[in-house]
Each structure stands twice: as C-alpha cells, then as structure tokens.
Amino acid sequence: MDYIAHVKRLENDEWDEPQLLSEHLQKTAELAAKFAEDFDSSEWAYALGMMHDAGKGAPEWQNYLRSKSGYDEEASSEAILGKVKHSGAGAKLAEELFGVLPGRFLSYAIAGHHTGLPDFGGSQSSLAFQLQHTDTEKIASEFKNAAPSMRSVKPPWRFALKGLDLSLWIRMLFSCLIDADRLNTEEYMNPDKSAIRNKYLPITELISKFDIYMDAKTKKESVCSSDRVYQARQQVLSDCLAAADMQPGFFSLTVPTGGGKTLSSMAFALRHANKFGKKRIIYVIPYTSIIEQNAKVFRDIFGPDEIVEHHANLDDEDSSVKSRLATENWDAPIIVTTNVQFFESLFASKTSRCRKLHNIANSVVILDEAQLVPSEFLEPILATMQLLVERYKVTFVICTATQPAFERRDDFPEFPGLQKGSIREIIQDAPSLYKNLERVKVEIRDDSTNDWNDLAAELALYDQVLCIVSDRKSCRELHAAMPAGTYHLSALMCAEHRSRIIAEIKEKLAKRETIRVISTQLIEAGVDIDFTTVYRAKAGLDSIAQAAGRCNREGKLNEEGKLGKVVIFNGVRKAPAGILRKASESAESVMTGKTDPIDQSLFAAYFANLYWKINSLDKNDIMKLLKPDDKCEIQFRSAAEAFKIIDDAKHKTILVRYGEGGELIDSLKRAKVSDKGFEIKTLRKLQRYAITIYNNQFAALEVQGSLEEVIPGVFALNNDVKYDKNVGLLIDEASNDPSDYMVGS
C-alpha cells in the first residue's frame, strides 16, 4: 500500500498526486526541528514530527481517508474514523518506544495535535483515556520505526521536572509540531497561500526606516514641543539606544507619560534584536485603543506590510492577506498584540492559540503599561516570564510610568516574584527625568463629594477639562449633570464609537475649543490627549499617575510659567469592590504623610502593598494544575480554561447598531448559511461594534425583547432604542461593577 497523508482535487476536478505519509512526516519533522533550535530541542521536535501522524499508517485509517475523500471509490465505505484513533495511536507509540518518561513528554503533543493539549486524566478526551483505548498493533512497521532514538532520557537542559518548567517546554514543542504540520499541509493543499508567507524585511532594513522617521520627528518636535519635554524625550531615546548593547534579560523602562517611551522602547528593541540575533519584536499592550494608536504609528514608520496586529478588533480592511496569515503563527518581525492574546496563549491548550508560541522564543517582548498585567494571575505569569528569559532567549522590557514591583522583596518574602536584582533599568537617572518632565501640580481633596451636581457645576467653570471616575454608573450620573455638549466615554460604547469620540476630542483640543469630558479609566493609559485640567476620583497611585499624564502632556503650560492642574477627589461612591478598591486603599496607606501621589519613589511600596492585599496571585491554581508528578501527569486543558483574563462565564458579548454596525448586522442575517467566508469576514468587521456585558444585563435585555440571535450564538440589539449616540448602551449599571478593562483579545 502507498500510505497517504492528504489528497486534493485540482480545478479541473481531477485528483492531484497524493501527499505520501512518509513525505509529510519527514518534512514536518525537519521543519519542527528547525523551529526548536532556539531552545535546544530540535531532536525532540523532530521525533514529534516523525510520530505525530504515525497512526495514519494503519490499513483502517488509509481505508477511511480514501473512502471519505472520494479518492478511491473502491475503498470500503464502512470504514469510520472511530475505528482508528490516529492521534491516540501515535501518542501510545511514543510511550511504547521511549517508555513513560520521556515518551510522555511527546505523547501529550501527539495526542493533541488536532484537538489541543489534553489533561492527563478526567474525561474521554484525556491522554490517559486515549492511551487506554487505542493500540499500535496495525501501524505499519515503517512508521513504528521511523522515530529516531533520543540522545538521553532526560530533558535537554538543566531544569527539574517540577513547576511550570516542564509544562511550558511541552507546550513549546507542541507549538513547533502544530506550526510545522499546518505549514507542510498548506504547502501541499494550498501552495498559493503558502507562497505568501514569511516575506518580510530584515531587522537591519527596519532599523533604517526607523532612523529616517525619527530624524524627521526629532526636527519637528524641536519646534513644536517645549524645550524641557523635547530634551527629556531625547534623553530617553539616548538611554534606550545605549542600553540595547547590554546582555539579554529583563529590563525596565521607567518613563513619565508623554516621555516618548513607545518609540524609544522600539528603538531599544530594534538595536537589541540586531545585536543579539533576536528574530522578532512583540509589543504587548493592555488596551485595544492603544494598539490601534500605536500600530498606526508603526505602520507609518515601517510600512503596512511589516506590522502584524493580532487582536479582536482588527478589521480585514486594516490588514493584508500576508499579515492575517502571520497572526496564525507570528512569523513576522514586528507583532502588536494584547495582554489577553499574549498571556492566555502562554497557558493555552488549543492548537490555534499554541501554534505561535515557538516564535516567542528568541524575541524581544515589550510589555507596555506593565502595571496592568492582571494581578490575579501574577504568580504563573512571572514564573513563565522567568523561564522565557532563562530557557528561551527572550528579552523583556517592562515599560511604564508606574513601575510595578515584579521582583522579590525582603519585606514581602512570600511574594513569588522575579529574582531579586534581575531587572535592569534603562533610564540612567529616572528621578531627574521625572523632575524635568514635571508638568502638573496635584491637589488632593479630603472632603467627600455627596452630589454629582456640585462637581458638575465646578467642572463647568473650565473651558477644557477631563474628569475620570472609577465606574460606569458614576460616569453616566456625572455626565447627566453636566452642560449639554459634554463628552462621555466608557466601555458601554463600542470600539468604533469610542474611537470617533476620541478623534473629536483631539480635534477640539487642537483648535482650543471648549471641551469637557467625563470618562471611566479607559482613557488613562496610552490615549494621547492633552488637557490643561484633569479631575480624578480617588484610585490607585498608578491610575492617578496615568490620569495626570493626560494633563499638560506636551508641557505647553510650562512655557507660560504654569503647570497643569490635577485634582484628586472623593466621588459619590468608593472605587468598585475588588482590585480597584484595594488599589485605592493601598494608595491611601502609602500616601500617609506624603503630598505628591505621582512621586516616582512611592510606586514600589505601593505595588508591594497592593499585591499583599490581593487574596491570591494565582486565584485559579494554575501552578498546581501544571505541576507534574513523577509520571508527568499534567492538566493542560483545565489550566487553559482556568487562565482567562476575561471570565467568559460571567460575561456575554452583544453587537450594537451604531454607525455601520446596523447594516453589518442585517447583512449577516441575510447571508446564506453556506457562505462561511462572508460570515467570518463580517464578524471580524463587527468586532468594532461589540460590547461585553454581565450575564444579568444580558438577561434583562432578553426579557425586554431587545436582543435577537443573528446567527447561532451571536446576539445583537434589534433596534436603535437601547443604544444612545452620546453614552452608548442604555442598561442599568450596579454601583459595585468592576471598572471596564478594555483589554481586548
């Protein structure tokens, strides 16, 4: 028998020559081995490639494949997939050939190469069940004996079989296999698509483009910005370029808002990647609003084909076919993505999420606004970051104006942080930088605000003012008390709506027109706006500092001998219960006897205090689920389901009829069931018209008859009544709802 892996019909309806199984295994193995070079695991990845489809080397499977595809009309139509579990058979073969250890290191990946990494036990999809209910007896000997012998029964480096070390390595090997398998299959099934991939400029040419852009920007800023701001930004850039020659590892980039850290961090990353042979730069951002802003800047610098955005709000029209393909495996020099996409992928089990992981190895990862790394998962995140640096040649840049306390501390010995002293600060004189970029004076009010009307009357005295509150209900109430024409911003407005409002705000500020804005904290991090006066409800020090960064951002008032005005006040209600309430309490604790809440020297103590207050830095026991026993029994799938930055069980997403949203919803309703391509494209466009709400709010809208199921599992407003052009979705907000994290996915 000629054992085949894949078959396809040509345009003339004739059958192409089938891809032989031996060829598919060999090429997949070679490609997987190449991917694993960056973490010294080529031999292991090669073995995975040679065994992953060994289960197809059995007569029953071949009969099924030929019958199912129609390639061989004489093949028995009685053959069904259930008779030969090819993934399970390959997994069992690995353990038969190499023993439970190290065979099990490989069997997880083989068993899950179609359905995702399994748990060891617990269900019919588990590895234990597959090993028990499949056999290797009918696999042809040529496939049984194709796998090479391992050079050692031990893993390829110096780590112990405990903690996250082993599970991360297995997931990395799994990534190499998935990407190699998919790429080789694509090369046979769709060569035109395959030919589009991986045609990007080298890092050296990207550096040239960056330098040209920065030269022009520097000349412009020397005229447009205040001298102090211009000089400070130039110093930040100079420090970043100097630090790029330092050995890979952990770096912090501590720069006040408006100090130019976005471009300076990219300058560091490009030089560092070029010097140390890093393959790509991964820019990780907490908010989709910042991604859209930063990605546009990067496209202007490097060209639209060199930047790969990977987030839920991306429209097909904003990306090329090549860049959309690169979101599958991050095989591009510059990736811009979200906290959700990056961190959830590191703990994922699904093939689609894991496929890109091996391309994180040997890269520079910039964590922008790093203080927003989700604290409830901080223990597994920091442990994984440490492993990525030690084992996978990753350099991290922890980038923020409010540097979190990620290292272990003597006064907090139980904190599971990074090794003490491992983070090197890029800025040579951070205190002087903060002093030179002093642009605001902060006033802290101790009296309580009992009525939004009083605060509204005070805000109305300013021609240009931004007021930030800590929850969406307060935002609605204060906005309702403001004069007509006041702008409102919250995550109850879809992304397209928010983007348009922010564009209008920027335009009015530039023209020096009257502009008053009431917003939740979504405006604090990364949104490039510049008010003369900012009010902020009491919150964590990081939130206060970010709010202050929206005031006198360009230092124009300094030229007139003035500073921006920032007022910290007690709102009608406290910050929402949970992390935001604890952040506010930590701020008050650290501020005892202090007068300046944006003093850079306070942040380490503030974050240490906050982390101490949090009930658990591993709230869903990720570390326990991924800790192997002596037989390498790991719960991969359970850990992936537990590591959800946005808890899908508590929320639902609906589509709203704002702008083009209504037309897109109607188009989706009219689409034929068979037109999957149109459906997927339309759903991608509709991401910008989506809002996430709590389950009880979803139920209330259903009871009111305001929702319709457009296609199975996708719900949308069925009228315009429930969506207001000024404030967004009209729905009751509980006073203790957590503030909206625009983290994206």
Side-chain angles (χ1 to χ4, degrees):
M1 177 182 291
D2 288 332
Y3 291 91
I4 60 178
H6 304 101
V7 293
K8 68 174 180 179
R9 288 184 184 273
L10 300 172
E11 291 183 0
N12 61 6
D13 209 35
E14 294 291 326
W15 286 100
D16 196 2
E17 286 294 319
Q19 184 187 36
L20 296 179
L21 180 57
S22 57
E23 176 191 357
H24 174 59
L25 295 180
Q26 183 66 43
K27 290 189 174 180
T28 298
E30 291 172 354
L31 197 52
K34 179 182 177 183
F35 293 155
E37 288 175 355
D38 285 327
F39 52 100
D40 189 28
S41 300
S42 293
E43 195 169 347
W44 296 80
Y46 185 86
L48 276 177
M50 291 302 295
M51 286 190 294
H52 79 287
D53 273 352
K56 290 183 178 180
E60 284 87 348
W61 178 269
Q62 290 294 310
N63 201 36
Y64 163 77
L65 178 61
R66 292 162 188 263
S67 173
K68 179 84 172 178
S69 65
Y71 176 71
D72 185 351
E73 295 179 356
E74 296 182 1
S76 172
S77 61
E78 296 177 2
I80 58 172
L81 179 61
K83 285 188 176 179
V84 180
K85 300 282 189 181
H86 88 277
S87 297
K92 190 164 186 175
L93 177 62
E95 297 201 10
E96 289 176 353
L97 290 176
F98 306 126
V100 173
L101 294 181
R104 189 153 294 167
F105 301 160
L106 306 175
S107 65
Y108 279 108
I110 297 171
H113 79 273
H114 284 293
T115 58
L117 283 170
D119 286 345
F120 178 77
S123 71
Q124 292 189 6
S125 64
S126 69
L127 178 61
F129 185 90
Q130 293 184 61
L131 294 174
Q132 184 178 354
H133 291 84
T134 56
D135 64 63
T136 62
E137 292 179 6
K138 295 182 180 180
I139 296 177
S141 60
E142 64 185 279
F143 302 109
K144 281 186 177 180
N145 301 324
S149 61
M150 295 292 96
R151 65 184 175 192
S152 168
V153 295
K154 295 180 180 179
W157 55 61
R158 57 196 177 280
F159 72 95
L161 304 184
K162 62 182 181 180
L164 298 185
D165 217 339
L166 182 60
S167 65
L168 179 60
W169 179 58
I170 291 173
R171 197 180 285 105
M172 282 288 190
L173 286 174
F174 180 61
S175 172
C176 294
L177 171 63
I178 297 304
D179 198 21
D181 182 28
R182 303 300 189 263
L183 289 174
N184 180 253
T185 302
E186 179 183 271
E187 186 179 10
Y188 169 75
M189 299 295 293
N190 194 339
D192 292 339
K193 182 179 177 182
S194 178
I196 297 173
R197 291 185 182 272
N198 194 26
K199 291 181 171 56
Y200 293 95
L201 295 176
I203 294 290
T204 51
E205 291 191 38
L206 296 178
I207 290 175
S208 296
K209 285 178 172 287
F210 184 82
D211 289 344
I212 291 171
Y213 177 89
M214 290 301 292
D215 286 345
K217 181 177 176 62
T218 298
K219 291 176 182 177
K220 181 179 179 181
E221 280 197 346
S222 64
V223 176
C224 298
S225 298
S226 69
D227 287 341
R228 287 206 311 164
V229 172
Y230 170 74
Q231 294 297 333
R233 289 174 178 169
Q234 288 301 110
Q235 186 59 55
V236 171
L237 178 60
S238 176
D239 286 353
C240 284
L241 292 174
D245 289 337
M246 297 173 68
Q247 288 296 312
F250 287 107
F251 293 87
S252 57
L253 179 58
T254 309
V255 177
T257 52
K261 60 183 171 62
T262 299
L263 290 175
S264 292
S265 62
M266 180 59 73
F268 168 90
L270 288 168
R271 259 58 178 198
H272 189 77
N274 188 50
K275 180 174 179 63
F276 294 101
K278 305 298 181 187
K279 292 182 177 178
R280 61 190 47 82
I281 296 157
I282 304 173
Y283 212 104
V284 184
I285 302 175
Y287 298 147
T288 51
S289 58
I290 314 176
I291 282 191
E292 293 163 359
Q293 176 179 286
N294 288 1
K296 182 182 183 305
V297 173
F298 295 150
R299 284 196 296 269
D300 290 343
I301 297 172
F302 303 110
D305 286 341
E306 305 305 316
I307 305 300
V308 173
E309 289 182 69
H310 194 179
H311 57 90
N313 284 351
L314 185 64
D315 191 328
D316 282 359
E317 294 179 1
D318 294 331
S319 61
S320 65
V321 174
K322 182 174 70 172
S323 63
R324 288 197 296 276
L325 288 175
T327 62
E328 296 175 354
N329 64 355
W330 286 5
D331 188 14
I334 300 176
I335 308 293
V336 185
T337 190
T338 61
N339 277 1
V340 171
Q341 186 64 238
F342 183 79
F343 289 119
E344 287 191 359
S345 293
L346 288 172
F347 297 91
S349 64
K350 290 183 179 179
T351 57
S352 57
R353 276 282 174 100
C354 289
R355 181 177 175 179
K356 58 183 170 288
L357 288 184
H358 71 91
N359 278 326
I360 294 177
N362 200 23
S363 65
V364 182
V365 178
I366 301 171
L367 296 182
D368 194 22
E369 304 297 350
Q371 77 280 359
L372 294 172
V373 170
S375 55
E376 291 96 339
F377 299 104
L378 200 56
E379 182 176 0
I381 283 175
L382 292 180
T384 301
M385 287 171 59
Q386 189 86 55
L387 290 171
L388 288 173
V389 168
E390 292 177 355
R391 315 290 198 218
Y392 300 92
K393 303 179 183 178
V394 173
T395 285
F396 276 101
V397 183
I398 302 167
C399 188
T400 176
T402 55
Q403 201 63 232
F406 282 170
E407 289 186 352
R408 297 169 191 161
R409 295 171 60 94
D410 293 337
D411 59 348
F412 189 5
E414 64 271 30
F415 177 65
L418 303 175
Q419 293 178 7
K420 189 175 180 181
S422 61
I423 303 176
R424 293 158 290 172
E425 175 57 49
I426 289 175
I427 300 302
Q428 296 180 18
D429 188 356
S432 294
L433 175 65
Y434 274 70
K435 184 176 180 180
N436 291 336
L437 279 175
E438 184 182 17
R439 289 158 293 177
V440 301
K441 181 174 178 58
V442 182
E443 173 190 341
I444 301 177
R445 295 183 181 174
D446 293 325
D447 56 319
S448 296
T449 302
N450 297 316
D451 190 330
W452 289 125
N453 289 315
D454 293 337
L455 181 60
E458 183 176 338
L459 295 173
L461 298 175
Y462 298 97
D463 291 332
Q464 292 191 340
V465 64
L466 166 66
C467 182
I468 304 171
V469 292
S470 295
D471 63 275
R472 300 187 295 204
K473 184 173 184 179
S474 294
C475 190
R476 285 273 173 91
E477 291 173 347
L478 179 55
H479 178 264
M482 292 293 293
T486 300
Y487 285 92
H488 171 280
L489 278 170
S490 84
L492 286 178
M493 303 159 69
C494 66
E496 182 65 24
H497 194 176
R498 294 193 304 265
S499 294
R500 292 185 187 183
I501 294 298
I502 289 172
E504 288 182 28
I505 292 170
K506 289 182 177 181
E507 184 178 355
K508 285 183 175 290
L509 286 171
K511 293 179 179 179
R512 299 192 176 185
E513 297 177 5
T514 297
I515 173 74
R516 304 181 185 97
V517 180
I518 311 299
S519 177
T520 60
Q521 67 183 48
L522 66 82
I523 203 169
E524 285 179 344
V527 181
D528 188 6
I529 54 174
D530 190 355
F531 281 84
T532 57
T533 305
V534 171
Y535 277 61
R536 182 46 164 113
K538 282 189 176 178
L541 294 189
D542 51 333
S543 293
I544 291 173
Q546 293 292 347
R550 310 312 116 196
C551 184
N552 193 24
R553 186 178 181 86
E554 297 298 326
K556 292 296 185 181
L557 291 176
N558 294 73
E559 298 174 0
E560 304 170 15
K562 304 176 184 176
L563 293 174
K565 180 179 180 180
V566 175
V567 178
I568 309 302
F569 65 94
N570 282 308
V572 169
R573 57 182 62 87
K574 292 182 178 180
I579 184 66
L580 296 181
R581 178 80 56 82
K582 290 174 181 178
S584 182
E585 292 169 352
S586 292
E588 289 199 28
S589 175
V590 172
M591 281 297 296
T592 302
K594 308 289 185 181
T595 58
D596 184 5
I598 59 175
D599 180 352
Q600 184 237 349
S601 66
L602 296 175
F603 291 117
Y606 160 72
F607 279 107
N609 187 291
L610 175 60
Y611 297 153
W612 180 81
K613 278 187 169 68
I614 294 171
N615 295 333
S616 174
L617 298 173
D618 182 14
K619 71 171 185 176
N620 292 337
D621 291 327
I622 305 298
M623 302 289 287
K624 182 178 180 180
L625 289 168
L626 293 176
K627 183 178 180 180
D629 61 9
D630 58 356
K631 293 183 180 180
C632 190
E633 296 181 1
I634 303 173
Q635 301 298 93
F636 283 104
R637 189 159 300 179
S638 294
E641 292 170 355
F643 194 102
K644 295 292 183 184
I645 294 176
I646 301 176
D647 190 348
D648 295 335
K650 296 180 180 179
H651 302 87
K652 292 191 184 302
T653 298
I654 65 170
L655 305 174
V656 299
R657 293 177 174 275
Y658 171 82
E660 190 187 2
E663 182 180 335
L664 289 170
I665 291 169
D666 292 336
S667 296
L668 194 60
K669 288 168 60 178
R670 293 192 298 266
K672 295 180 180 178
V673 175
S674 60
D675 194 353
K676 290 296 181 183
F678 176 82
E679 181 180 296
I680 292 170
K681 185 175 181 179
T682 305
L683 284 171
R684 284 176 177 161
K685 288 179 177 290
L686 278 166
Q687 290 285 355
R688 293 194 59 78
Y689 302 91
I691 293 176
T692 299
I693 57 177
Y694 292 96
N695 289 337
N696 64 320
Q697 296 170 326
F698 181 89
L701 288 173
E702 276 195 310
V703 169
Q704 295 164 10
S706 298
L707 293 177
E708 60 179 330
E709 193 169 13
V710 183
I711 59 174
V714 177
F715 292 85
L717 290 181
N718 57 20
N719 58 66
D720 298 330
V721 176
K722 282 292 182 179
Y723 196 86
D724 184 85
K725 66 179 181 179
N726 294 315
V727 299
L729 185 64
L730 299 176
I731 196 165
D732 290 337
E733 280 284 275
S735 62
N736 62 345
D737 278 348
S739 186
D740 34 300
Y741 293 115
M742 282 172 44
V743 286
S745 61

